[in-house]
Amino acid sequence: MRATPTAPVPRESNGIVNAPEAGPSRPPDAERGLSSAEVLARRARFGANVVDYAARRTWRLTLWEVLREPMFLLLLAASAIYLVLGDAAEALTLLAFVIAIVCLTVYQSHRTAQVLDSLRELSAPRAKVLRDGTRQLVSSSELVPGDVVFVDEGNRVPADGLAVELHELSVDESLLTGESVAVSKSVARLDVRTDPSGDTGEPADSQLFFGSMVVQGQARMIVTATGPNTTLGRIGKSLSGISEALSPLQIETRTFVNRFAAVAIATVFLLTAIYRWRVGEWLPGILAGITLAMGILPEEIPVILTVFFALGARRIAKEGVLTRRMSAIEALGQTSVLCVDKTGTLTQNRMSVSALVAHGRRLDVGPSTPRIDAAFHELIEYLVLASEIEPIDPMERAFHETGRLELAGTGRLHTDWSLVHEYALTPAVPAMSHAWRTPAPEHHSIACKGAPEAVCALCHLDATQTQTVLGQAAAMASGGLRVLGVAKASHSHAEWPKDQHGFAFTFLGLVGLSDPVRPEVAQAIAQCHAAGIRVVMVTGDYPTTAQAIATEVGINSRRIVTGQALAAMDDAQVRNAVMKVETFARIRPEQKLRLVNALRDNGEVVAMTGDGVNDAPALKAAHIGIAMGLRGAEVAREVSALVLLRDDFAPIVSTIRLGRRIYANLVLAISYTIAVHVPMVAAAVVPILVGLPPMLAPIHIVFLQLVIDPVCSIVFENEPEDPRLMHAPPRRPGARLLSSRTVLQLASVGALAGALVLGVYAGLLQYASASANSLPLARTMAFELLVVVNVALIFVVPMVLRTARPAWGRPRNRYLWRVLGMTGVALALLITVPSLARLFGLVALLNP
């Protein structure tokens, strides 16, 4: 990629190359940015920098959604029938329980929505801004007109503004225009105005628009409009309005609930007709039908999914991973292959210069190394000149630190030189060059650094020389070092060459950087292997470097495939290679997509880490894209399902473990829901079918719901993980939440519980048939037993699923004991307080 010829930039500048003299007259705040006081004043005037933000979950909206639920409508219908039948006390009691359930549901839904909102705020885009003379990283919602903002390749423009400095800036404005062709930008010519209307009077090629994506280059911009005053805000488009597609689990459970709802509707009419035929009354029959519908309808399942996913995302965030797509939680338990980069993920991304090769000599550098010999000074000099002026990357920082320490007082730190031209690193030429204007008239010094083979080619070394250099590089790489070549050239012509091959470079030497492996990585990879997850390292480093690091952390490196070898393979060979190879080296970013697709074609569920613009296609293609939050481009974060809040490998493994735990507890909750509804349905249907008085009324179902709902959404969500969780293979793709056999087992357990309750009910009716109090007594005993049975199923269901552990060996779940305690207190009140028992149609068994 060729850089556009530009005017000089001082050595102390920020590294963005200015356009020539056509630049704007700089506003007074463009060098230091706004002060804190100015920011506060403008924020109060212009508001938050938010465009068409997704509607927040208000109490009113949550309440309206609850009031539309089928269960609520059934309860209202039952209350109305009680009023028609003249039983005002029953109707009012039921309405009181309805209000209690609505309040509980609204509170739980609103709390869940707050969790999702907090996670959404955490995932909001960040902006690099200049304030009070220092660079800061703030939420883009905090920007105000007049802010000085830096935008880089791969990030979205966080507000409308004018470019006052830029370097090869091209922007994708398809969100606004529908045109996918990137637009090149130029520097603004006039003073920047922060008119609230956003009208700057500047031509469009110098304006940057909120929501557009920087596809090349970098710029410094002055914000001219924020929030609804931006172009994007005025036309009413926003990415935040795009809804997320349902996951396979959500689709499966929605289908499951819809089928039960259809069954409930049919049985309501059927049971009503049977009751009318047996008893001769319609309203009690309708009441019995409503009771049955409430017992059948598994309305807890949608709540379970919402609560588990939201609280699960919060648990994952505590591990240092942000969930951007809730469906990723479901897929975590299916992950069979984890593709990771080396630098910053397996290693600490704290680079230091550890070896230098120049003039046929090698010098190993360490804390105990004395001052570096002068023979290596020129190598370090041009290494620094070929680096960014204000480095952010740890590698570039290491170069500057070495130069500052070793070249002080040597005359090789050129603070009076000006950067006038740049040649960027490209896939074709993996090397970059900086051209500097020196004090000597008409003389420019060119510094180049890059892959050793690329630098050898630029220096036109012969085969013998190239082989010697590459041999030295391989020896350095075998020790786990990242190796770069360095070269220099001179240029005194008016025209700049088209590319770097136009310079007569002289090879100066090699530099090797060490990046220590994170101490926890080896153990984390061992956990992945125990869980049946292959860890595949995909790096751009030398094969010998990759092999050394892979061996240290426990990744199989007996066979290594390079990017060059991968390019020569057809698709079938790539699919075969990814089945056997776990270390890929010298891989270009665009080749990652091919590896991901090959793994997917082999039936693997792929999670992949990435940070760059070129990683975005592979991250999107992976089942779970994992973006680096600290050093990743915004486009990489946008297409990813997970974002690492710290660039580390251990949180990835913790997230997979949590994903498995969340799914296992979700299965427990839904299994319990199925099992617990069976005895409720049996108690509502069987007495009517066999000619016995109805055992349950709607108020009894409501009481049971007050036990079932917190058990499903709170108790099981907080169930501790099984120690065997990370010793089981990944869940098969496409596997159903519950197999037919498991559903049959759960239904059988529920049926046995129902048979026990009905047996007690029928026996008591027959035993006390001569007593006028026989029905309330039988109903009381049977209902108490039904509550106890529902509680017992909390412990029985895990045994059916073979997940139970001995009581003395499982961690304490404080929510379980709280729910059990509250249920016990409620039952005790029912059998000791006569007035309360009468409201439920029961009798006080222990009337003091």
Side-chain angles (χ1 to χ4, degrees):
M1 184 187 306
R2 182 186 174 191
T4 305
T6 55
V9 173
R11 186 69 179 88
E12 294 79 14
S13 78
N14 68 346
I16 299 177
V17 180
N18 288 316
E21 285 74 14
S25 58
R26 188 67 57 78
D29 57 4
E31 292 298 338
R32 292 191 52 80
L34 299 178
S35 67
S36 300
E38 289 174 316
V39 171
L40 291 175
R42 297 191 186 198
R43 189 175 299 158
R45 177 186 175 191
F46 296 107
N49 180 34
V50 175
V51 175
D52 190 22
Y53 196 75
R56 295 283 182 175
R57 299 279 301 187
T58 63
W59 287 102
R60 183 177 300 176
L61 177 61
T62 305
L63 177 62
W64 173 241
E65 290 183 353
V66 172
L67 295 181
R68 292 184 299 171
E69 287 293 325
M71 182 65 74
F72 176 78
L73 299 177
L74 288 171
L75 289 169
L76 285 183
S79 300
I81 292 174
Y82 276 121
L83 286 174
V84 172
L85 292 173
D87 195 344
E90 190 81 14
L92 293 175
T93 302
L94 189 58
L95 283 175
F97 273 98
V98 168
I99 294 172
I101 286 182
V102 167
C103 291
L104 178 64
T105 307
V106 169
Y107 172 75
Q108 184 170 262
S109 300
H110 193 73
R111 184 182 176 190
T112 301
Q114 285 181 319
V115 172
L116 294 175
D117 283 343
S118 64
L119 292 172
R120 192 178 294 114
E121 289 175 1
L122 190 60
S123 66
R126 318 291 283 180
K128 298 175 186 175
V129 62
L130 183 66
R131 289 177 178 170
D132 295 318
T134 61
R135 290 196 189 193
Q136 304 175 22
L137 190 64
V138 302
S139 171
S140 62
S141 63
E142 299 178 10
L143 295 180
V144 296
D147 261 328
V148 181
V149 177
F150 302 92
V151 293
D152 300 301
E153 182 176 308
N155 294 335
R156 287 199 179 275
V157 178
D160 280 6
L162 290 179
V164 294
E165 290 182 3
L166 57 80
H167 170 58
E168 291 190 328
L169 188 69
S170 294
V171 181
D172 179 0
E173 298 178 348
S174 58
L175 182 66
L176 299 169
T177 65
E179 298 292 335
S180 59
V181 178
V183 179
S184 297
K185 295 293 182 176
S186 61
V187 173
R189 296 184 296 275
L190 304 177
D191 286 340
V192 176
R193 290 183 284 163
T194 57
D195 190 331
S197 68
D199 182 15
T200 63
E202 286 286 331
D205 64 353
S206 62
Q207 297 184 42
L208 301 177
F209 300 103
F210 187 12
S212 54
M213 179 69 73
V214 179
V215 297
Q216 178 183 318
Q218 53 186 185
R220 182 200 295 240
M221 61 174 269
I222 304 293
V223 175
T224 57
T226 57
N229 297 318
T230 62
T231 302
L232 184 64
R234 290 197 298 270
I235 66 177
K237 292 182 180 179
S238 176
L239 290 175
S240 61
I242 299 175
S243 59
E244 184 180 348
L246 296 176
S247 72
L249 180 59
Q250 290 172 315
I251 295 172
E252 181 183 351
T253 52
R254 175 170 292 187
T255 303
F256 182 79
V257 172
N258 290 341
R259 287 175 180 172
F260 266 84
V263 172
I265 293 172
T267 52
V268 165
F269 289 106
L270 180 61
L271 193 65
T272 303
I274 292 174
Y275 193 92
R276 173 69 176 81
W277 173 65
R278 283 187 173 276
V279 181
E281 298 183 22
W282 280 107
L283 287 180
I286 295 174
L287 200 61
I290 290 175
T291 304
L292 174 60
M294 292 169 60
I296 291 178
L297 192 65
E299 50 89 23
E300 304 92 351
I301 291 180
V303 177
I304 291 170
L305 281 178
T306 303
V307 170
F308 270 63
F309 280 178
L311 297 185
R314 187 171 66 176
R315 289 183 188 277
I316 291 172
K318 290 180 179 178
E319 294 291 332
V321 181
L322 178 66
T323 306
R324 298 192 73 252
R325 291 176 177 80
M326 294 299 163
S327 57
I329 297 175
E330 175 187 344
L332 282 169
Q334 297 177 319
T335 302
S336 58
V337 175
L338 178 57
C339 297
V340 296
D341 191 11
K342 175 183 71 66
T343 304
T345 306
L346 301 180
T347 62
Q348 299 179 23
N349 206 22
R350 285 168 30 195
M351 292 189 173
S352 59
V353 174
S354 296
L356 299 170
V357 173
H359 307 293
R361 292 175 52 198
R362 170 171 172 166
L363 175 66
D364 291 321
V365 181
S368 60
T369 304
R371 192 172 180 86
I372 294 177
D373 193 291
F376 299 94
H377 285 181
E378 186 180 31
L379 172 62
I380 299 173
E381 173 189 4
Y382 280 89
L383 179 64
V384 174
L385 290 173
S387 303
E388 295 296 336
I389 297 173
E390 290 187 1
I392 298 176
D393 185 271
M395 179 180 68
E396 305 268 331
R397 288 181 176 178
F399 297 153
H400 278 271
E401 179 67 12
T402 301
R404 184 182 65 83
L405 293 175
E406 303 300 334
L407 300 184
T410 64
R412 293 182 180 273
L413 290 176
H414 305 290
T415 56
D416 56 337
W417 290 15
S418 299
L419 178 64
V420 294
H421 205 78
E422 292 184 67
Y423 293 90
L425 182 146
T426 66
V429 182
M432 61 182 294
S433 295
H434 283 176
W436 297 88
R437 175 172 294 166
T438 68
E442 301 300 325
H443 173 74
H444 297 94
S445 186
I446 316 299
C448 172
K449 76 173 189 299
E453 60 271 26
V455 176
C456 287
L458 290 173
C459 294
H460 305 290
L461 300 184
D462 60 33
T464 302
Q465 293 172 319
T466 300
Q467 189 61 39
T468 300
V469 171
L470 296 183
Q472 294 170 331
M476 297 168 71
S478 64
L481 301 182
R482 183 173 184 177
V483 186
L484 295 177
V486 181
K488 69 172 184 177
S490 297
H491 183 73
S492 57
H493 302 289
E495 295 294 328
W496 293 101
K498 180 180 179 180
D499 55 40
Q500 297 176 81
H501 285 285
F503 295 108
F505 281 111
T506 300
F507 188 80
L508 295 179
L510 299 170
V511 56
L513 295 106
S514 62
D515 188 6
V517 170
R518 296 183 184 274
E520 69 277 7
V521 165
Q523 181 180 359
I525 289 178
Q527 291 176 355
C528 287
H529 291 160
I533 302 171
R534 293 174 58 213
V535 180
V536 176
M537 184 171 72
V538 183
T539 179
D541 265 347
Y542 258 88
T544 45
T545 304
Q547 186 174 38
I549 299 298
T551 301
E552 184 175 353
V553 299
I555 296 176
N556 183 3
S557 60
R558 290 190 298 272
R559 182 183 171 191
I560 299 176
V561 172
T562 64
Q564 184 178 7
L566 189 69
M569 295 180 183
D570 58 29
D571 290 343
Q573 290 173 318
V574 175
R575 288 195 299 270
N576 183 61
V578 296
M579 292 175 61
K580 304 173 182 178
V581 179
E582 295 181 358
T583 305
F584 293 85
R586 271 302 191 239
I587 298 295
R588 298 192 301 271
E590 60 271 18
Q591 290 180 313
K592 294 181 180 180
L593 176 60
R594 196 177 182 197
L595 291 174
V596 169
N597 286 335
L599 287 165
R600 291 188 57 139
D601 290 343
N602 287 344
E604 306 282 5
V605 176
V606 185
M608 178 193 163
T609 64
D611 58 2
V613 178
N614 291 333
D615 291 335
L619 289 171
K620 190 173 184 180
H623 294 90
I624 306 175
I626 306 172
M628 300 297 165
L630 298 181
R631 56 188 170 91
E634 188 171 333
V635 64
R637 294 193 294 271
E638 281 193 5
V639 301
S640 297
L642 303 175
V643 177
L644 295 180
L645 300 180
R646 62 180 191 272
D647 297 347
D648 193 354
F649 182 80
I652 301 174
V653 182
S654 299
T655 301
I656 292 175
R657 189 191 73 249
L658 279 175
R660 290 190 174 192
R661 171 191 169 180
I662 293 165
Y663 190 87
N665 289 349
L666 183 64
V667 171
L668 276 176
I670 294 179
S671 298
Y672 175 76
T673 301
I674 294 173
V676 83
H677 275 268
V678 174
M680 292 167 59
V681 171
V685 174
V686 173
I688 295 175
L689 293 180
V690 300
L692 296 176
M695 175 186 152
L696 295 180
I699 194 170
H700 300 133
I701 301 294
V702 171
F703 182 90
L704 293 171
Q705 289 296 136
L706 291 175
V707 177
I708 296 171
D709 284 351
V711 169
C712 292
S713 58
I714 299 177
V715 172
F716 282 124
E717 198 282 328
N718 283 278
E719 186 68 9
E721 70 179 55
D722 190 326
R724 302 166 296 180
L725 197 65
M726 289 297 283
H727 294 276
R731 195 173 70 254
R732 290 183 296 103
R736 294 171 57 187
L737 183 72
L738 296 172
S739 66
S740 300
R741 179 181 178 183
T742 302
V743 172
L744 182 60
Q745 289 175 325
L746 294 169
S748 300
V749 170
L752 288 174
L756 175 63
V757 172
L758 289 171
V760 171
Y761 180 62
L764 287 172
L765 282 176
Q766 184 176 5
Y767 177 75
S769 57
S771 171
N773 206 32
S774 62
L775 178 58
L777 178 63
R779 182 175 288 166
T780 300
M781 296 294 291
F783 179 70
E784 295 271 349
L785 180 59
L786 181 58
V787 175
V788 172
V789 162
N790 284 352
V791 170
L793 286 174
I794 298 174
F795 301 93
V796 173
V797 166
M799 289 190 283
V800 173
L801 298 176
R802 297 181 177 85
T803 61
R805 284 168 281 162
W808 58 85
R810 60 189 284 178
R812 184 183 180 92
N813 184 347
R814 65 180 185 275
Y815 294 98
L816 170 61
W817 303 110
R818 288 177 184 176
V819 170
L820 293 181
M822 293 173 63
T823 303
V825 170
L827 282 179
L829 292 174
L830 275 179
I831 61 178
T832 56
V833 181
S835 58
L836 184 60
R838 283 195 298 271
L839 287 175
F840 279 80
L842 308 176
V843 293
L845 300 177
L846 301 177
N847 189 6

